[in-house]
Amino acid sequence: MNGIAIIIIALVALIAGYVCYGRWLAKKWGVDNSRKTPAVEINDGVDYVPTKKQVVFGHQFASIAGAGPINGPIQAAVFGWVPVLLWCLIGGIFIGAVQDFSSMFASVRNKGRSIGIIIENYVGKTGKRLFLLFVYFFSILVVAAFSDIVAKSFGVSEAFSEAVNYSNSQVACTSTLFIFVAVAFGFFIKYKQPGTALNTALSIILLIVCVALGCLLPFSLGVNTWMILVFIYILIASVTPVWALLQPRDYLNSYLLIAMIAAAVVGIFASNPPMDLPAFSGFMTSAGSLFPILFVTVACGAVSGFHSLVSSETASKQVEKESDMLPISYGAMLVESLLGVIALVAVGAVSAGGVIPSGTPQMIFSQAVSGFLTVLHIPADISYTLISLAVSAFALTSLDSVARVGRLSFQELFLDKEDDEKNLPSWKKVLTNRWVATIIVLIPSYVLAQVGYAEIWALFGSANQLLSVLALAAVAVYLKKAKKDNKMMFVPMFFMLAATLVALIQLIMNNIVNFGTSATVSALGQAMQIILGILLVALAVIVVISCCKKLFGKDEERADA
C-alpha cells in the first residue's frame, strides 16, 4: 500500500461520512434555523457572540486539533498501519464527530450551557458538580502538558541542536506576531464587519507577513522564560472577550493549519511515499495490548473528550444559526481525522524496514512532510520550519481554549441554575470571578508543568478519552428527555467506557507496582498519576452510573427539544 491509496481511501470515507451520517444526524435531531441560537439571543459581547460560520469553524478546528492527531497515530503505529487507519476513520465518523456534534447541539438547545449544566438539568446537581470537578482536574492536566510542549517548541536549550534552536526561535517570533495581529484583526472584524472575501484575503496576507517576519527576525529566549510568558498569555487570553483574541487568533491560525494539511496532501500525491510499516504487528507489542492501548493512544484523530468541552463551552456560544453546527463540529472532527491519517502516512514514509525512527512525533511528522514537499522543489529547511510552526500553533490554540474551559467549569461549580448572578454571596462572587477562577486553574497547572509533559501524557490520554464517555452519556440523557433518537450514542459510550477504564486501571497499577523504580518517570510524576488516576476513575464511574439511571429509567419531564 502506498500513501496516495491510503489518502484516497480516507478522503472517500470521511466525505461519505459527512454527507450521509452527519446530515442524517442533523435531520434526526431536528436542526432548525428558525430557532434563535444562544449567541443571538444572549449576545453579551464576551462569551456569547454571534459569529460567521467560517470563523467559528476556525476556532473549533484550531482548538480541538492540538498535538493529539499527530502524536497519537505516530505512537500507535507500532500496532501496524491498518488498525490505526481503521480507528481514525471508523472512530472519527461514528464516535468522535457524533460526540462533537451532539455536544454542540445539546449546548445550543440549552442556552449555550456546558455539558456540566446539561447534567445538572437532566441528571442532578451532584452529577454536575462531580463532572465539573472532573473537567477542572482534566483542564489542569491539559494546560500542564501543552504549556510544556509550547515552551519547548519556542525556547532554546543546550539540550537542543543548533538547527532546532534556530527553528524554535523563528516559530516563537511568528507565533508572538500572530497574537498581536489577531487582536488588531479582531477589532477590525467587530467594528468594520468585512465580507467573507475580504476576511479571507486579509487573513492570508497577514499570515504570510507574520511567517516572513518570523523567519527573518527570530528571537531567542530560554525554555523556562517561555514557560512563564506562556502562562501570562493564558491568563490574559482566558478572560479576554472571545472576539478580541480567541476568535481572530484561531481564525488566522486555521488558515495556517489547513494550509499545512493541504500541503501535506499535495506532497503525498506528488511523492507517493511508500508505507514502510507492517499492516498489522499483532495484538501484543512493546506499547502493550491493542485493546485498550490503541483506542486511548489515537485520541484526537478518532475521538477526544476535550472536543466536547470546546463544542459546549466556547463554540456553542458563537453559533449564528443551527445549520452551522454540522460543518463546525462534525466537519472539523473529520478534518482532524484526515490529519491523523496524514500523520500515519508520514511515519510510514520515514520508517525503515518497519522500524519507526527515533525522535518526537512532531519531529517525525515535520521531517516526513518536508520530505514530501521537496518533490515540488520547496527547500526542506524552509518547509520544516513552516510545518513546525503549524504544529506548535495546534498546541497553543488548544492551550488557551482549555484554560478558558477550565475557568468556566470552575465558575459553574459554584453556580446553580436558580442563582441570581447579580446577588451572589461574597464568597461565591470571589470564586466565580473570571480572574480568580483562571488563576485557580493555572497555579496547579504551572506546578505540574515542571514535571514535564512526557510524564503525564499517558494519564492525560486516558482521562481525555474517559471525558468523552461522560459527554456521550450526558447528551444521551438530554436526547431522551427531548424525545429524540439517542440509540446512536450507546455503542460509542459503552465501548469507550470499557477501553478507558481498563487503560486507566492498568496505568494506576503499573505506577503502583513500579513506584520509585522507573528510569523515565520521577516518583513525583508517578504519585501524581496514581492520585489523579484514582480520582478521575472514581468521579467518572459515579457520573456514568448517575446518567445510566436516568438513561434507562422511566421517562420523566420533557426537555426543551
Side-chain angles (χ1 to χ4, degrees), residues 202-218:
L202 282 174
S203 299
I204 294 173
I205 292 170
L206 290 171
L207 180 65
I208 293 171
V209 170
C210 288
V211 170
L213 289 175
C215 291
L216 291 172
L217 304 170

Side-chain angles (χ1 to χ4, degrees), residues 327-522:
I328 289 170
S329 56
Y330 200 96
M333 177 62 230
L334 296 190
V335 176
E336 188 168 9
S337 292
L338 176 62
L339 179 57
V341 175
I342 292 171
L344 175 65
V345 173
V347 69
V350 295
S351 297
V355 179
I356 299 173
S358 59
T360 66
Q362 291 90 340
M363 291 172 60
I364 292 171
F365 181 82
S366 299
Q367 175 191 346
V369 175
S370 61
F372 301 159
L373 296 176
T374 56
V375 178
L376 302 175
H377 306 292
I378 299 174
D381 56 341
I382 294 176
S383 59
Y384 182 88
T385 296
L386 292 176
I387 298 301
S388 298
L389 170 64
V391 173
S392 71
F394 276 124
L396 187 60
T397 50
S398 293
L399 187 56
D400 56 17
S401 292
V402 79
R404 183 178 288 260
V405 165
R407 184 259 290 179
L408 291 170
S409 297
F410 188 83
Q411 289 175 296
E412 289 178 0
L413 187 61
F414 300 97
L415 292 174
D416 295 319
K417 59 184 177 182
E418 65 271 12
D419 282 342
D420 179 1
E421 295 188 22
K422 294 181 179 179
N423 297 301
L424 293 173
S426 298
W427 67 272
K428 275 194 176 185
K429 286 183 178 179
V430 171
L431 291 176
T432 57
N433 176 274
R434 66 176 187 260
W435 288 94
V436 173
T438 302
I439 290 171
I440 290 174
V441 172
L442 296 187
I443 288 176
S445 300
Y446 183 81
V447 174
L448 189 58
Q450 308 310 307
V451 177
Y453 83 92
E455 296 195 6
I456 56 176
W457 191 263
L459 178 59
F460 155 71
S462 299
N464 181 41
Q465 301 301 75
L466 188 53
L467 181 57
S468 71
V469 178
L470 306 187
L472 290 166
V475 174
V477 173
Y478 160 72
L479 292 172
K480 177 188 177 183
K481 300 294 184 182
K483 306 298 182 184
K484 297 182 183 295
D485 191 351
N486 66 355
K487 294 182 180 61
M488 69 287 291
M489 315 296 285
F490 293 167
V491 172
M493 180 176 66
F494 288 114
F495 176 77
M496 293 309 300
L497 178 63
T500 52
L501 284 183
V502 171
L504 269 173
I505 291 170
Q506 286 182 352
L507 177 66
I508 293 167
M509 294 305 299
N510 286 340
N511 277 289
I512 291 174
V513 171
N514 299 312
F515 186 77
T517 63
S518 174
T520 58
V521 182
S522 66

Side-chain angles (χ1 to χ4, degrees), residues 60-112:
Q60 176 82 4
F61 177 63
S63 297
I64 67 174
I70 294 173
N71 279 7
I74 291 176
Q75 292 177 345
V78 294
F79 292 106
W81 65 267
V82 170
V84 177
L85 177 65
L86 290 176
W87 179 230
C88 281
L89 298 181
I90 296 173
I93 294 169
F94 296 105
I95 303 181
V98 172
Q99 176 212 237
D100 295 9
F101 185 22
S102 63
S103 297
M104 183 174 289
F105 176 78
S107 178
V108 166
R109 288 294 177 91
N110 282 269
K111 298 184 178 180

Side-chain angles (χ1 to χ4, degrees), residues 97-409:
V98 172
Q99 176 212 237
D100 295 9
F101 185 22
S102 63
S103 297
M104 183 174 289
F105 176 78
S107 178
V108 166
R109 288 294 177 91
N110 282 269
K111 298 184 178 180
R113 299 295 182 87
S114 69
I115 295 295
I117 298 299
I118 292 170
I119 290 176
E120 178 184 16
N121 288 342
Y122 306 116
V123 178
K125 290 182 181 179
T126 300
K128 178 202 80 167
R129 289 194 171 97
L130 292 173
F131 174 81
L132 291 175
L133 274 174
F134 185 101
V135 173
Y136 170 70
F137 288 121
F138 172 75
S139 298
I140 290 171
L141 282 172
V142 179
V143 172
F146 279 70
S147 60
D148 187 50
I149 290 173
V150 170
K152 288 176 180 174
S153 66
F154 285 1
V156 298
S157 169
E158 292 180 358
F160 303 155
S161 69
E162 184 177 345
V164 170
N165 279 331
Y166 187 74
S167 176
N168 283 5
S169 299
Q170 291 177 315
V171 169
C173 181
T174 303
S175 297
T176 303
L177 288 171
F178 268 4
I179 294 169
F180 289 105
V181 167
V183 173
F185 192 55
F187 277 90
F188 176 75
I189 292 175
K190 180 175 177 61
Y191 293 107
K192 296 297 183 181
Q193 298 183 347
T196 301
L198 181 57
N199 256 351
T200 302
L202 282 174
S203 299
I204 294 173
I205 292 170
L206 290 171
L207 180 65
I208 293 171
V209 170
C210 288
V211 170
L213 289 175
C215 291
L216 291 172
L217 304 170
F219 59 81
S220 302
L221 294 172
V223 172
N224 292 334
T225 302
W226 270 117
M227 180 71 78
I228 295 171
L229 292 175
V230 164
F231 271 86
I232 293 173
Y233 164 75
I234 299 169
L235 174 63
I236 296 170
S238 298
V239 299
T240 302
V242 292
W243 61 265
L245 178 57
L246 191 71
Q247 284 181 349
R249 195 280 325 277
D250 287 352
Y251 184 55
L252 290 172
N253 273 344
S254 69
Y255 281 94
L256 175 65
L257 305 180
I258 291 172
M260 181 196 74
I261 293 173
V265 171
V266 171
I268 290 170
F269 275 91
S271 61
N272 193 20
M275 173 52 72
D276 200 4
L277 287 173
F280 180 59
S281 302
F283 288 99
M284 288 297 300
T285 69
S286 59
S289 59
L290 186 141
F291 182 89
I293 301 302
L294 172 70
F295 304 101
V296 297
T297 303
V298 183
C300 300
V303 56
S304 166
F306 169 58
H307 297 188
S308 70
L309 302 183
V310 177
S311 297
S312 67
E313 288 275 16
T314 59
S316 65
K317 296 175 175 65
Q318 304 170 45
V319 173
E320 195 169 29
K321 57 181 185 291
E322 286 201 350
S323 61
D324 291 348
M325 290 188 288
L326 180 63
I328 289 170
S329 56
Y330 200 96
M333 177 62 230
L334 296 190
V335 176
E336 188 168 9
S337 292
L338 176 62
L339 179 57
V341 175
I342 292 171
L344 175 65
V345 173
V347 69
V350 295
S351 297
V355 179
I356 299 173
S358 59
T360 66
Q362 291 90 340
M363 291 172 60
I364 292 171
F365 181 82
S366 299
Q367 175 191 346
V369 175
S370 61
F372 301 159
L373 296 176
T374 56
V375 178
L376 302 175
H377 306 292
I378 299 174
D381 56 341
I382 294 176
S383 59
Y384 182 88
T385 296
L386 292 176
I387 298 301
S388 298
L389 170 64
V391 173
S392 71
F394 276 124
L396 187 60
T397 50
S398 293
L399 187 56
D400 56 17
S401 292
V402 79
R404 183 178 288 260
V405 165
R407 184 259 290 179
L408 291 170
S409 297

